[in-house]
Amino acid sequence: MSILLKKVWETMSTRLLTTSTSSYSDTSDQRRNLDLMYEEGDDLYNKYCYLTSTTGAFDKIPSDIFHQILKLLGPKESAKLTLVCKSWKLLVADNRLWVFFLQNYNTHDYSTWDTIVFAEKHLRSGYPLLLPPHQSPHLSFMSIYGQRLALTGSVIIDGGTGYCKFGWSKYASPSGRTATFLEFGNLESPMYSRLRHFFATIYSRMQVKPSGQPVVVSIPICQSHGTHSAKAARRQLKDTIYQVLFDMNVPAVCAINQATLALYAARRTSGIVVNIGFNVTSVVPILRGKVMRNVGVEVVDLGASKLTGFLKEKMQQQNISFGSLYTVRTLKENLCYVAVDYEEELSKNKQASFKVAGEGWFTLSKERFQTGEVLFQPQLGGVNAIGLHHAIALCMNRCQAAEATVDEGWFKTVVLAGGSACLLGLPERLDKELRSLLSSSLSEGLRVLPPAYGAESAWFGAKIISNMSTFCETWCIMKNQFRRKSRRSFIGSW
């Protein structure tokens, strides 16, 4: 560091001798530099301190050169300079510097800059989201960097009805998968023992103790109706999850539904999430992080298992032999797509082949797009249900009629989630079908977004939350908080 500063000082001394004025000789120049250094909304007192403070001989170094030096020093050494004096602290605390560090030194949780900004601006207040995006508070990225660095990491468990993904929040992706042997929505079964077995299995596979870190659990949308019995069932499920985890000595728990997490993964706080699950597809309206059950959650009896079963039957009809459903699912994920115009696609030759490890090559033709067409024409697969586009249009019409907020376009963003939502052509086909069903006022501004992280969108939504600087304070429930809440509920029931 001393050698670097010496070289910079020699260069600046030469420059100062050959110029008649310095970069800070004019007050107007100082104010222009201030406008660049400080974002709108910063404390005016800090600006005044910067104008009147001094860093000694280093005052002769222009701020842009000074910041280049700090960038070369890195975040750890730069942070130490804040202890020198108030002037150095103001210089080092410049948001532009820490934005650079977050973009280039953020290797401790593999979060992208876009997700960091989204989380810290829109999610830091916790659930429910209290501040609309345009009222987000000014952020100190220096503090955010330090708080994110200090986080120990959390266990993320994205449990569904098909299979579960789990891993560390500090990792770039889930570290493992396991079959989900629990039916979360079946509340008549002994949920406590099954959930205990489930979570114990996850911790065993991760080879960690439950007491060492917080946990984020995603909950599939179940009991979606707004009736009192459905509300009681959802509350019982969530309370049982908390009870099991706290009995396992987990220090803090965040339990949140999959649809909301998938929405956060797409860097949105409001919209309609279409979650194509293993057994059913849920169309979930969400406003500022809250599921609008009073508007209505549409559940279509179509899921990934139906599509896989349909492709299996088609392959059997064509006398294509295969070893297991895993082979069929692999072919569905790699060869199948959704046709923008189904009738036109029938007249084309769409034959394609794919090699499945251990079984060899498979060739499919019309089955490739007929499988995805079941989402729009369920009767093709022998399912008595409305098409996916009709369910979404119904949900959007209800959202418009509800007039839940002054923002009339919050429900015009449709976010797809789930493994089968990754079928090529699905966003384009949905966009086309929805525009034909909706009025011109509703279809204006419509956007259909593919899964942000494929089949792992909910897991990455949990990762965004768990790596946030205010995660434990604003998103988690601690054991003592849960116990107090349970006692109040027990007393209130008498």
Side-chain angles (χ1 to χ4, degrees), residues 72-182:
L72 293 173
L73 289 177
K76 186 176 180 180
E77 296 299 327
S78 295
K80 292 179 181 179
L81 295 176
T82 61
L83 303 176
V84 176
C85 64
K86 183 184 293 185
S87 301
W88 282 78
K89 183 176 182 179
L90 289 172
L91 281 169
V92 175
D94 188 341
N95 261 351
R96 293 177 304 169
L97 176 65
W98 292 94
V99 166
F100 172 82
F101 288 150
L102 282 167
Q103 290 175 330
N104 295 276
Y105 286 81
N106 187 39
T107 58
H108 50 274
D109 61 22
Y110 298 96
S111 297
T112 64
W113 171 242
D114 290 342
T115 58
I116 293 174
V117 173
F118 167 75
E120 300 296 344
K121 281 193 173 182
H122 303 308
L123 306 180
R124 63 186 291 110
S125 63
Y127 180 83
L129 307 182
L130 301 178
L131 292 174
H134 63 278
Q135 297 180 12
S136 299
H138 176 71
L139 303 175
S140 168
F141 286 107
M142 179 179 173
S143 299
I144 288 172
Y145 185 96
Q147 290 169 335
R148 293 176 72 95
L149 187 63
L151 291 173
T152 58
S154 305
V155 171
I156 299 176
I157 302 175
D158 176 20
T161 54
Y163 58 91
C164 165
K165 298 168 285 292
F166 57 87
W168 284 99
S169 62
K170 297 291 186 180
Y171 288 178
S173 60
S175 57
R177 297 186 180 191
T178 182
T180 300
F181 45 83
L182 299 166

Side-chain angles (χ1 to χ4, degrees), residues 191-254:
M191 286 299 297
Y192 183 92
S193 59
R194 299 176 72 183
L195 283 170
R196 179 94 184 204
H197 185 198
F198 173 68
F199 289 124
T201 301
I202 299 299
Y203 280 108
S204 175
R205 294 194 179 188
M206 292 186 66
Q207 297 182 346
V208 295
K209 293 182 178 180
S211 59
Q213 58 285 310
V215 61
V216 184
V217 181
S218 75
I219 308 174
I221 289 289
C222 62
Q223 304 289 342
S224 58
H225 305 293
T227 61
H228 290 294
S229 60
K231 290 179 181 179
R234 291 193 298 270
R235 191 181 306 113
Q236 180 185 352
L237 170 60
K238 202 167 186 178
D239 286 349
T240 305
I241 290 175
Y242 283 123
Q243 183 71 53
V244 169
L245 290 171
F246 286 134
D247 286 350
M248 296 173 69
N249 293 320
V250 174
V253 180
C254 173

Side-chain angles (χ1 to χ4, degrees), residues 378-422:
Q379 66 275 11
L380 293 178
V383 179
N384 184 21
I386 62 174
L388 185 58
H389 54 307
H390 286 286
I392 299 173
L394 180 61
C395 182
M396 293 183 70
N397 282 311
R398 287 178 176 174
C399 290
Q400 184 186 42
E403 297 181 349
T405 178
V406 293
D407 180 12
E408 298 179 354
W410 67 271
F411 52 85
K412 293 185 179 182
T413 298
V414 178
V415 177
L416 302 181
S420 294
C422 299

